[in-house]
Amino acid sequence: MGDRKYFGTDGIRGRVGQPPITPDFVLRLGWAAGRVLGGEHGGRVVIGKDTRISGYMFESALEAGLSAAGLDTHLLGPIPTPAIAYLTRTLRARAGIVISASHNPFDDNGIKFFSAEGVKLPDATEEAIEALLDEPLTTRNSASLGKAYRVPDAAGRYIEFCKGTVPNGLSLEGLHIVVDCAHGATYQVAPAVFGELGARVTSIGVDPDGLNINEGVGSTRPEALQDAVRREHADLGIAFDGDGDRVIMVDAGGAVVDGDELLYIIAAHRHGNGGFPGGVVGTLMSNLGLELALQGLGIPFRRAKVGDRYVSELLAEEDWLLGGETSGHVICRDRNTSGDGIIAALQVLTALVERGETLASFRQGMTKLPQTLVNVRVERMIDVHASPTINDAVTAVEADLADCGRVLLRPSGTEPVVRVMVEGEDDQQVRELAERLAHVVREEAAGGDEN
């Protein structure tokens, strides 16, 4: 990924109006993508977006670029990212394009792509698109230009799809759920899904104005959901991020249930229903408590690099069905091809209803170990794994944990920071060991500068 000029691990993202997130670049991106994806035969591409005000501008730019390359565009409007993956497949499109910056503030935006199969584009295809971005933009002859269509029932199609991912006859009747849509892409869809399955729904974060996406609400700001669940005396709460591929939940007492715990609930329920095929994929940051709880059930567990792209790749490699991140990206490959907040929440609700348990009681099957993360800012990045001093310090910390914990050093890929994470059984010990190891990293980095 390091050789690419524009594409990162999750498409192209940045501040609106600053390169590359500008109308002229997105126009050329649409054209280049159309040339690569459509070739000489054209076809259709679907475009969906979240609720950011800049989405209108970038939707038009993409449409123009794709038309110049000879592809038709089917515009889905504001709709969750996983819905775009689903509709790309069902509409037999050559690709799906998402206009979103996920959990970022409104003045950021981004573009990412799904293949015809509803998964991230192969590296070779992204590289081919990049190779065309610096070439002069040309247009097809007028008779071959692409057309644009609105898909007025896009949200309705996705609502029905989501409802179809739970067992026939499952009812959420009797459950009072607070749903926080982050003023984002799920604002029309999520309350309808849970309500039509029988739940009593109280909605917050469902009044987007183009500027308030993720502002004080959503999965990255759970305080609003916690307050609403307590105030409404609800059974539980569900919060999505701005584009709907991430979810966290809140139990009746207001305690946050993160992605690790949601993975455990889904896996444990499926295991209890007659076996769990394959295993679960987490990341390097997944809590050790998840690994130990799954181990107790006899369910294999593997860790991918941080990022839902890497979780998805490892799931495909292992041919497993369930994986995700602590942040709430949960991928149920037997339900959808991408991380899907609504579908993940439905899998958890299915477990609660069929087991007759509350969210608070079911989560007790997994005990999260205390985890401390220290971000060590350094003037110059060092190879932490090649330093004898740091390696000795890690060995000493691991010895203090006595096989009842975990140590992770992870250089940031975007800033001069080394992330030092320590997990263990004793909260005070974990914090002290993390600070001790962070001090060694800080000193080693400073010493390297002096040389």
Side-chain angles (χ1 to χ4, degrees), residues 50-296:
D50 63 25
T51 55
R52 292 163 213 273
I53 191 169
S54 59
Y56 296 98
M57 176 172 67
F58 293 129
E59 181 184 59
S60 298
L62 284 168
E63 177 193 328
L66 290 161
S67 177
L71 271 77
D72 293 340
T73 54
H74 289 245
L75 304 174
L76 308 177
I79 199 165
T81 289
I84 299 165
Y86 164 69
L87 290 166
T88 299
R89 302 195 312 274
T90 62
L91 291 173
R92 305 296 191 270
R94 291 190 176 274
I97 304 179
V98 181
I99 306 170
S100 175
S102 188
H103 58 280
N104 288 24
F106 83 95
D107 47 1
D108 285 350
N109 216 329
I111 310 291
K112 59 184 175 182
F113 294 83
F114 288 117
S115 72
E117 293 75 35
V119 298
K120 190 172 179 65
L121 288 181
D123 291 346
T125 304
E126 290 186 344
E127 289 162 5
I129 293 172
E130 278 215 357
L132 283 177
L133 283 171
D134 293 324
E135 292 192 10
L137 189 153
T138 60
T139 61
R140 292 287 190 93
N141 64 67
S142 293
S144 301
L145 295 175
K147 300 176 182 178
Y149 306 87
R150 290 281 173 190
V151 183
D153 60 345
R157 291 187 187 209
Y158 181 60
I159 289 170
E160 292 306 310
F161 167 67
C162 289
K163 288 158 53 182
T165 63
V166 300
N168 288 334
L170 181 91
S171 173
L172 302 182
E173 190 172 351
L175 279 178
H176 181 190
I177 302 173
V178 179
V179 179
D180 179 354
C181 297
H183 299 307
T186 60
Y187 81 101
Q188 299 177 87
V189 173
V193 169
F194 301 114
E196 290 179 20
L197 286 172
R200 174 187 166 198
V201 176
T202 298
S203 301
I204 64 174
V206 289
D207 299 299
D209 61 9
L211 309 178
N212 61 358
I213 188 169
N214 300 311
E215 186 178 330
V217 287
S219 62
T220 56
R221 299 288 187 274
E223 297 82 10
L225 180 62
Q226 292 172 297
D227 290 344
V229 167
R230 296 188 191 102
R231 183 177 63 251
E232 298 289 335
H233 303 290
D235 295 296
L236 56 90
I238 303 170
F240 305 100
D241 65 343
D243 72 331
D245 64 355
R246 182 186 300 194
V247 62
I248 60 101
M249 298 178 76
V250 167
D251 69 21
V256 172
V257 182
D258 66 18
D260 290 343
E261 294 167 296
L262 299 180
L263 280 173
Y264 165 75
I265 291 171
I266 297 169
H269 175 62
R270 292 185 178 188
H271 179 267
N273 279 354
F276 184 82
V280 173
V281 171
T283 74
L284 295 173
M285 299 303 292
S286 297
N287 193 277
L288 182 58
L290 171 62
E291 182 174 353
L292 296 175
L294 294 175
Q295 187 179 63

Side-chain angles (χ1 to χ4, degrees), residues 384-385 387-409 420-422 429 433 436-437 440-441:
V384 294
H385 302 295
S387 165
T389 302
I390 294 175
N391 286 334
D392 288 346
V394 169
T395 300
V397 168
E398 289 174 338
D400 286 344
L401 291 170
D403 297 324
C404 296
R406 192 166 63 96
V407 177
L408 175 68
L409 299 184
V420 177
M421 190 275 289
V422 177
Q429 181 194 38
L433 292 176
R436 188 173 88 192
L437 188 53
V440 173
V441 172

Side-chain angles (χ1 to χ4, degrees), residues 329-342:
H329 285 119
V330 176
I331 302 172
C332 302
R333 286 182 67 229
D334 55 342
R335 301 300 197 273
N336 202 354
T337 53
S338 69
D340 191 318
I342 294 176

Side-chain angles (χ1 to χ4, degrees), residues 367-383:
T367 301
K368 292 175 67 176
L369 270 66
Q371 183 184 91
T372 294
L373 177 66
V374 180
N375 291 321
V376 180
R377 186 161 294 276
V378 296
E379 293 299 321
R380 179 184 59 85
M381 292 303 295
I382 59 172
D383 187 347

